[in-house]
Amino acid sequence: MTTLFISDLHLDDERPFITELFEQFLRGEAREAQALYILGDLFESWIGDDDDAPLAQRVQDALAELSRSGVTTYFMAGNRDFLAGPRFAQRSGVTLLDDPACVDLAGVPTLLMHGDTLCTDDLAYQKFRAQVRDPAWQQAFLAQPLEQRRAFAAQARAQSRLHTGSAMAQIMDVTDAAVHDALRTGGAQRLIHGHTHRPARHHVELGDRVAERVVLGDWYEQGSVLRVDGSVIELACLR
Ligand code: MN
């Protein structure tokens, strides 16, 4: 049976067709899978598990339906939806994963990450990340009314667009050093991550052995999905 991996859907009211594509995927291919792993940035933004916006409700309903059908679904937070917590997990029927997480995939020790922590040359982003992952910051943020949090998310999104436009493409990608460290620390043979929106399969020379790094693509236009069935791996596009 197939295990599926997706990330970087960036679900948002601005792109309703991607939400529809995701719902079709959950009702179709995902139903036949053994497990589904969502490796971060499922949402363009997530302002807290108490969000009552229609999109948040709709996506949680769709995930809950998949989980009720018996497909184990895992969720790892990305840099956009890092506030997705236990209430989201319970409502959606998903199991939260830490970043990084090591899993055994048909005998292959596999490291799962969102991917943002691998972009160690992007110092401005890493500084921002340290701030928003601080429990005290999160507690203060979640104490604000929903409207205020929505305004903050909109502003953070605009800033991120500016940064992505101005930062050099190479500092927005992973560094070899961070990839090597991650694979060595985890003792992994394979690393699967998203975040960079550069879908590909790379061989990684570790000196004593060769590992593989699989990068999931985004869902802005393509609907990237990784299918792993035993030793057969396929990185595909839904459209
Ligand atoms: Mn990301």
Side-chain angles (χ1 to χ4, degrees):
M1 267 179 104
T2 309
T3 301
L4 301 172
F5 296 85
I6 56 174
S7 72
D8 303 282
L9 289 83
H10 295 269
L11 299 178
D12 188 73
D13 285 327
E14 280 179 30
R15 290 182 297 278
F17 52 98
I18 295 298
T19 307
E20 278 157 33
L21 183 64
F22 181 51
E23 284 173 335
Q24 282 168 26
F25 170 78
L26 292 181
R27 292 202 185 111
E29 180 175 6
R31 284 284 183 104
E32 311 303 319
Q34 183 171 17
L36 168 66
Y37 287 85
I38 303 170
L39 298 185
D41 289 358
L42 172 61
F43 299 97
E44 178 72 18
S45 62
W46 188 261
I47 55 170
D49 291 355
D50 56 338
D51 189 4
D52 55 7
L55 178 73
Q57 303 305 314
R58 180 175 161 183
V59 173
Q60 289 176 106
D61 286 343
L63 286 169
E65 202 182 311
L66 178 71
S67 118
R68 274 196 303 274
S69 80
V71 179
T72 312
T73 305
Y74 299 94
F75 176 88
M76 177 183 284
N79 55 300
R80 302 304 190 111
D81 47 18
F82 58 88
L83 284 171
R87 269 172 71 190
F88 159 77
Q90 199 191 13
R91 168 100 160 72
S92 308
V94 303
T95 302
L96 295 179
L97 286 180
D98 285 335
D99 182 359
C102 203
V103 297
D104 184 300
L105 268 187
V108 179
T110 303
L111 194 64
L112 308 177
M113 303 175 86
H114 175 57
D116 55 331
T117 54
L118 297 168
C119 302
T120 47
D121 280 346
D122 192 349
L123 300 176
Y125 169 69
Q126 295 302 336
K127 203 174 146 194
F128 171 78
R129 186 182 195 280
Q131 182 195 14
V132 301
R133 295 292 179 124
D134 176 37
W137 184 93
Q138 294 193 358
Q139 209 178 359
F141 180 77
L142 291 171
Q144 293 175 20
L146 279 171
E147 274 320 306
Q148 217 169 316
R149 282 182 263 158
R150 283 197 184 107
F152 176 89
Q155 200 193 347
R157 213 181 314 176
Q159 256 167 14
S160 162
R161 270 189 204 135
L162 277 178
H163 177 62
T164 311
S166 66
M168 286 195 328
Q170 121 197 18
I171 70 165
M172 307 288 295
D173 203 355
V174 303
T175 62
D176 287 344
V179 167
H180 290 190
D181 277 357
L183 282 163
R184 284 214 184 87
T185 309
Q189 224 167 298
R190 189 191 290 141
L191 166 63
I192 302 173
H193 72 83
H195 182 66
T196 60
H197 301 190
R198 291 174 168 96
R201 294 177 63 183
H202 303 273
H203 286 282
V204 185
E205 295 281 348
L206 288 174
D208 53 336
R209 61 193 172 96
V210 178
E212 187 184 22
R213 176 168 74 95
V214 185
V215 188
L216 306 171
D218 62 85
W219 280 49
Y220 280 112
E221 278 160 15
Q222 52 190 333
S224 177
V225 57
L226 175 71
R227 306 178 178 120
V228 179
D229 191 349
S231 58
V232 182
I233 290 191
E234 184 193 14
L235 186 57
C237 273
L238 294 178
R239 43 178 253 145

